[in-house]
Structure formats: C-alpha cells, structure tokens
Amino acid sequence: MHILLNPTSNNPIYEQIIQQVKERILQGVVIAGDKVPSVREMSAQLTVNPNTVSKAYKELEREGIFVTFRGKGTFISEDVHELVQEREVKHLKEQAEQLVQSAKQAGVSKEEMKSWIDELFQKGGERHD
C-alpha cells in the first residue's frame, strides 16, 4: 500500500494515513483480506514515528477497517469497501446539508443549486452504477 504524506497539510499525519487508506479501499487498490504493512514497515516507508502509524492503525481497527490477528499481522477486514463507502456517503450527505443551509441563507434558489450540481457532474464525468 503506497501512501504519500503532504507535509504542508493542516491535517495531522495519522489522519492523512487514515484518509489515504480509505481512498485506496474505495479505489480498489486494496481489498478485503489484503495484508497491511506492519507499523514498523509503514513508519520506515513514510519516515515517521511508529507511534504516529500505530495511532492511525488503532483508529482504522476501531472503525472496523483493519483487523489484527496475533502472530499473523494486520489485514483489511471483510466487506470493508461497503463500510468505507457507506461512511463516505454519510459524510457527503452531511456536507450537502450544510451547503444547502448556507445556500438558503444566501438566497440561492433550489433550481440554481440543481443547475450547479448538473454543471459539476458534467465537469467531473458522471458515474453510472
């Protein structure tokens, strides 16, 4: 699993690790059952303190994304893609709710918002699932 840290980001390193692991799962780069590099291996790869990687791994395990088997290592848990996708959709919905509230306060109409969404989907390429 390849992770790139952004040293100029306002997000702490452990949060960058968590976010990028989730992105790799959504992209299909890592899948359920894949072995994850050990904390020591990942900290050496990223040249960061092992405690930072450990903090990210513990959070990912708490969220059900990682599962650790004593003596075998850490793995991507089963059904992880759906779990991460479900959380991302929930987060996006919360952001959309905030955006709609801000738009209402600014006097933006529902039709104008729909127009913006259509325009943004055309720019980014619409997904057809």
Side-chain angles (χ1 to χ4, degrees):
M1 178 178 350
H2 189 70
I3 292 177
L4 293 172
L5 299 176
N6 179 353
T8 62
S9 172
N10 290 330
N11 290 337
I13 292 171
Y14 80 96
E15 286 182 4
Q16 291 183 52
I17 294 169
I18 292 167
Q19 187 58 40
Q20 288 194 37
V21 167
K22 291 176 180 180
E23 288 172 7
R24 301 299 177 276
I25 291 167
L26 290 172
Q27 295 164 348
V29 174
V30 292
I31 58 171
D34 281 357
K35 189 169 187 340
V36 176
S38 70
V39 168
R40 184 175 294 157
E41 291 167 339
M42 183 63 78
S43 64
Q45 175 191 329
L46 299 175
T47 59
V48 298
N49 188 309
N51 291 331
T52 302
V53 175
S54 180
K55 184 174 182 177
Y57 277 30
K58 285 177 184 171
E59 177 60 22
L60 288 162
E61 192 165 358
R62 189 191 67 74
E63 291 183 22
I65 295 168
F66 281 3
V67 61
T68 301
F69 298 104
R70 191 171 200 88
K72 293 185 179 182
T74 302
F75 298 83
I76 304 293
S77 65
E78 298 300 319
D79 300 322
V80 71
H81 187 272
E82 291 80 10
L83 177 68
V84 171
Q85 188 173 28
E86 183 179 297
R87 288 185 183 153
E88 282 297 310
V89 168
K90 181 181 177 193
H91 179 69
L92 289 171
K93 185 175 180 185
E94 290 167 358
Q95 288 180 319
E97 288 172 0
Q98 291 173 356
L99 178 62
V100 167
Q101 289 304 316
S102 296
K104 283 180 179 179
Q105 291 172 356
V108 177
S109 71
K110 183 177 179 180
E111 289 71 29
E112 194 171 0
M113 288 285 294
K114 286 181 179 182
S115 170
W116 291 350
I117 291 169
D118 289 341
E119 185 180 316
L120 291 170
F121 263 89
Q122 287 175 358
K123 279 184 181 177
E126 211 167 325
R127 275 183 60 181
H128 299 284
D129 290 339

